[in-house]
Amino acid sequence: MNTGTLYLIPTTLGKTPGNNTIPEYTLDVLRKIDVLMVENLKSATSFLQWVGDTVPEYEIDFYPLNKNTPEQEIHSFLKPLLNGRDAGILSEAGAPGVADPGARLVKLAHQYQINVVPLVGPSSILLALMASGFNGQQFSFHGYLPMDQKKRKSMISQLEGESRRHDRTQIFMEAPYRNNELLNDVISACSPATRLCTATDITLPSEEIISKHISEWESMKLPDLDKRPTIFLLYAKE
């Protein structure tokens, strides 16, 4: 059976005046696809307009793929691929399948021997790790930490201990409107010798990356991270 190819298509990490993160080859693949699995239809169509010269929106079959999409519905997304049509997964921001619900469809595609092709584009997690100066050989991404402050600070202390014992960079994130709370919790929960990096608005004109020891964070004016997408990195091994 000749199946289509599932392309994993990165999107920009925010609105930029020009294209400084996505290769033209990736955009050219997107311009030919008329089946798209998207996390949010409005932002997906906005991205298509930014790309330009894509298949007209009214000719594209859109499938909603987010954390609330039922498993049985995701199975139905394979139909066009099994019928030989190429399809793409568009992340809300960055790379599909990385801290992204697209991984659920990719898993099914492999089970049905559908060819999966990841395309080059920005990943805030990897870009933050590159810019941190921390260990890039051993690292873990933990997604969102607990919302409860007591549990969150306990988790931060646990991650710090694991970093120290295993020489591992710990990476995590927060809903943008709670970034300042998380920043203060990390500073108050960690040892002065531990290093913390915040990577904010990555690839955007307002990009701000700060990497310092906790003791330095304690003595400086803290950046305002409110409602600004930020990746947090912790490293306790000197």
Side-chain angles (χ1 to χ4, degrees):
M1 182 172 60
N2 293 322
T3 62
T5 295
L6 180 61
Y7 291 97
L8 311 184
I9 306 171
T11 61
T12 55
L13 297 176
K15 292 183 178 179
T16 57
N19 178 23
N20 63 346
T21 58
I22 302 180
E24 278 301 312
Y25 172 78
T26 298
L27 299 181
D28 285 342
V29 170
L30 175 58
R31 291 181 177 115
K32 300 173 184 176
I33 290 179
D34 62 1
V35 179
L36 287 174
M37 290 71 176
V38 302
E39 196 168 350
N40 181 283
L41 181 58
K42 183 178 180 180
S43 59
T45 54
S46 176
F47 179 66
L48 291 175
Q49 292 167 6
W50 179 86
V51 171
D53 298 323
T54 61
V55 175
E57 291 173 22
Y58 60 85
E59 294 182 6
I60 298 176
D61 292 332
F62 289 100
Y63 294 80
L65 179 56
N66 53 57
K67 63 180 181 181
N68 298 317
T69 306
E71 201 66 31
Q72 191 57 41
E73 189 173 339
I74 294 178
H75 272 81
S76 71
F77 295 175
L78 294 175
K79 186 175 180 179
L81 287 154
L82 294 174
N83 287 334
R85 297 173 68 187
D86 292 339
I89 298 179
L90 280 182
S91 177
E92 185 71 0
V98 181
D100 173 85
R104 299 166 66 193
L105 181 59
V106 175
K107 175 185 175 183
L108 287 176
H110 284 299
Q111 291 176 3
Y112 283 83
Q113 284 80 52
I114 293 170
N115 190 35
V116 175
V117 176
L119 298 177
V120 175
S123 166
S124 59
I125 298 168
L126 289 180
L127 291 172
L129 178 61
M130 290 164 59
S132 68
F134 300 170
N135 190 353
Q137 297 285 351
Q138 298 185 72
F139 54 91
S140 294
F141 176 66
H142 302 275
Y144 295 91
L145 302 190
M147 290 182 60
D148 178 79
Q149 186 181 43
K150 184 176 180 180
K151 292 180 180 179
R152 185 167 60 242
K153 293 182 79 169
S154 176
M155 175 62 75
I156 292 168
S157 296
Q158 178 181 327
L159 295 179
E160 180 186 35
E162 290 178 0
S163 176
R164 185 176 294 110
R165 289 191 300 274
H166 302 293
D167 190 17
R168 178 187 302 151
T169 299
Q170 308 284 28
I171 309 172
F172 45 94
M173 60 193 296
E174 183 52 279
Y177 66 91
R178 290 200 296 265
N179 280 337
N180 287 339
E181 295 175 35
L182 179 56
L183 177 60
N184 280 288
D185 285 345
V186 173
I187 293 172
S188 64
C190 291
S191 164
T194 294
R195 294 158 66 189
L196 166 67
C197 175
T198 58
T200 303
D201 291 341
I202 298 177
T203 73
L204 305 183
S206 56
E207 179 179 271
E208 183 178 24
I209 299 174
I210 304 172
S211 186
K212 296 178 180 293
H213 290 90
I214 293 295
S215 59
E216 297 174 285
W217 281 97
E218 290 174 328
S219 62
M220 64 180 277
K221 180 181 178 181
L222 299 183
D224 185 3
L225 307 181
D226 185 46
K227 299 179 182 178
R228 302 171 65 194
T230 300
I231 300 293
F232 293 80
L233 305 95
L234 203 63
Y235 188 54
K237 183 78 172 182
E238 287 298 323

